[in-house]
């Protein structure tokens, strides 16, 4: 399928996706094991991070197909398999962005409204919210899958992930992801500003937070995730003239799953310790 002018690019794409698998899968598998075994489902942060790790693992599982496609230039599994793998990738961007925002909002409530938010910040509520997220993400897949299958079938060629070659049909559902990412980015920006101002102005609250650098680093990482990994790929699909950048931006977006484990580490001072031993994490005071 690939000619000589695109072969080098395809090799690069295969290498990037392969590297993401090699790094992201074991990191998130270990992180998930630690979160489940040593932090359990006892806090909203742990619940959201467990779901985030699951989302990243699903992304890593979807990437071998992309590696094979760009390494060989062929896709032997048909349009339905291509559709399924594509939805896994898209679901990672959406679910990850939502869970990262939940983590930011949870940190916001813990710092700015520590007493009033206690009845809201529970593992039970976090579990219900996570369930709703997965349900919404799966429901969005239904019209998207139908549209993508129609495009793949109409092209009458197994192009699979080379979406720049497709006559992509833009439907109202295509605006869901850009609107979602922009909205969540705004929420993260507001959360970052509110926490930063609270830590600077309220001496009593600032004194209770053991490591303010780690607190703000979490928010900085969340903003970086959105602006670098989620936003570009979410917007480019809407602009016909920039569709040649889709594959490079997909490669960039996939890297997010390799960096999420850093979020787990900085969110829990005692990440490597058992729950009872690491009770004094950055925000445990507000539980």
């Amino acid at each position: 399928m690939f000619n000589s002018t695109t072969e080098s690019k395809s090799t690069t794409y295969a290498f990037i996706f392969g590297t993401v698998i090699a790094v992201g899968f074991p990191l998130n598998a270990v992180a998930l094991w630690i979160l489940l075994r040593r932090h359990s489902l006892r806090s909203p942060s742990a619940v959201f991070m467990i779901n985030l790790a699951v989302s990243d693992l699903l992304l890593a599982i979807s990437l071998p197909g992309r590696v094979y496609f760009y390494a060989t230039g062929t896709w032997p599994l048909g349009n339905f398999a291509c559709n399924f793998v594509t939805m896994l990738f898209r679901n990672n961007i959406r679910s990850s962005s939502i869970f990262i925002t939940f983590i930011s909002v949870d940190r916001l409530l813990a710092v700015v409204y520590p007493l009033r938010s206690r009845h809201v910040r529970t593992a039970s509520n976090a579990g219900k919210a996570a369930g709703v997220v997965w349900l919404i993400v799966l429901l969005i897949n239904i019209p998207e899958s139908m549209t993508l299958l129609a495009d793949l079938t109409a092209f009458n060629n197994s192009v699979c992930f080379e979406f720049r070659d497709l006559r992509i049909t833009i439907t109202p559902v295509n605006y869901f992801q850009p609107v979602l990412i922009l909205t969540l980015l705004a929420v993260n920006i507001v959360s970052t500003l509110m926490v930063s101002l609270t830590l600077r102005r309220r001496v009593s609250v600032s004194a209770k937070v053991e490591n303010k650098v780690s607190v703000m680093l979490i928010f900085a990482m969340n903003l970086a995730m959105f602006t670098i990994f989620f936003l570009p790929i979410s917007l480019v699909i809407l602009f016909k003239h920039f569709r040649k950048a889709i594959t490079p931006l997909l490669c960039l977006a996939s890297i997010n799953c390799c960096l999420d484990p850093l979020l787990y580490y900085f969110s829990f001072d005692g990440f490597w310790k058992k729950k009872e031993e690491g009770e004094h994490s950055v925000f445990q005071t507000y539980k």
Side-chain angles (χ1 to χ4, degrees), residues 9-21 67 70-71 251:
K9 290 184 179 180
S10 299
T11 302
T12 302
Y13 300 151
F15 174 78
I16 293 174
F17 287 130
T19 302
V20 171
I21 297 171
V67 173
Y70 286 110
C251 290

Side-chain angles (χ1 to χ4, degrees), residues 3-230:
N3 54 43
S4 57
T5 60
T6 60
E7 187 174 352
S8 60
K9 290 184 179 180
S10 299
T11 302
T12 302
Y13 300 151
F15 174 78
I16 293 174
F17 287 130
T19 302
V20 171
I21 297 171
V23 176
F25 186 86
L27 281 179
N28 282 283
V30 171
L32 181 61
W33 181 84
I34 293 173
L35 287 167
L36 288 172
R37 184 174 178 83
R38 305 197 175 192
H39 294 279
S40 188
L41 297 173
R42 300 177 186 177
S43 71
S45 289
V47 172
F48 294 140
M49 290 178 189
I50 286 170
N51 281 274
L52 182 57
V54 170
S55 176
D56 288 336
L57 284 173
L58 290 175
L59 171 66
I61 291 173
S62 75
L63 293 182
R66 291 180 183 270
V67 173
Y68 180 86
F69 175 76
Y70 286 110
T72 65
T74 61
W75 179 254
L77 300 181
N79 291 339
F80 284 97
C82 176
N83 195 350
F84 178 75
V85 172
T86 301
M87 289 302 111
L88 281 181
F89 197 108
R90 293 182 183 181
N91 288 347
N92 169 260
I93 295 176
R94 293 158 188 176
S95 58
S96 292
S97 63
I98 296 174
F99 290 129
I100 286 174
T101 302
F102 279 169
I103 292 170
S104 291
V105 173
D106 179 63
R107 304 301 81 188
L108 165 69
L109 294 175
V111 173
V112 182
Y113 308 105
L115 298 179
R116 283 183 288 175
S117 65
R118 281 186 173 180
H119 68 286
V120 177
R121 295 182 57 249
T122 65
S124 175
N125 287 339
K128 294 175 184 177
V132 171
V133 169
W134 287 115
L135 178 61
I136 293 174
V137 167
L138 291 176
L139 288 176
I140 291 296
N141 283 174
I142 297 175
E144 274 194 332
S145 296
M146 294 174 63
T147 302
L148 180 58
L149 274 175
D151 285 336
L152 288 168
T153 303
F155 197 79
N156 196 28
N157 193 4
S158 186
V159 294
C160 198
F161 306 114
E162 281 300 287
F163 298 114
R164 64 171 179 258
D165 294 332
L166 290 175
R167 300 183 294 275
I168 302 177
T169 303
I170 299 297
T171 64
V173 76
N174 290 112
Y175 291 93
F176 171 79
Q177 184 166 314
V179 171
L180 174 69
I181 298 301
L182 288 171
T183 302
L184 296 180
L185 176 59
V187 172
N188 277 273
I189 292 174
V190 172
S191 299
T192 302
L193 293 175
M194 290 182 67
V195 170
S196 178
L197 290 173
T198 299
L199 292 178
R200 289 187 178 187
R201 292 178 179 179
R202 299 185 190 177
V203 178
S204 59
V205 171
S206 183
K208 290 180 181 179
V209 178
E210 297 178 6
N211 193 336
K212 293 188 285 290
V213 174
S214 292
V215 173
M216 296 312 303
L217 187 58
I218 292 170
F219 287 95
M221 288 176 59
N222 290 350
L223 290 176
M225 287 285 187
F226 274 86
T227 56
I228 297 175
F229 301 117
F230 300 149

Side-chain angles (χ1 to χ4, degrees), residues 256-274:
N256 86 86
C257 79
C258 300
L259 301 180
D260 282 337
L262 292 176
L263 182 63
Y264 315 143
Y265 177 79
F266 287 111
S267 294
F268 293 108
D269 282 353
F271 180 71
W272 297 102
K273 301 176 183 179
K274 288 187 177 181

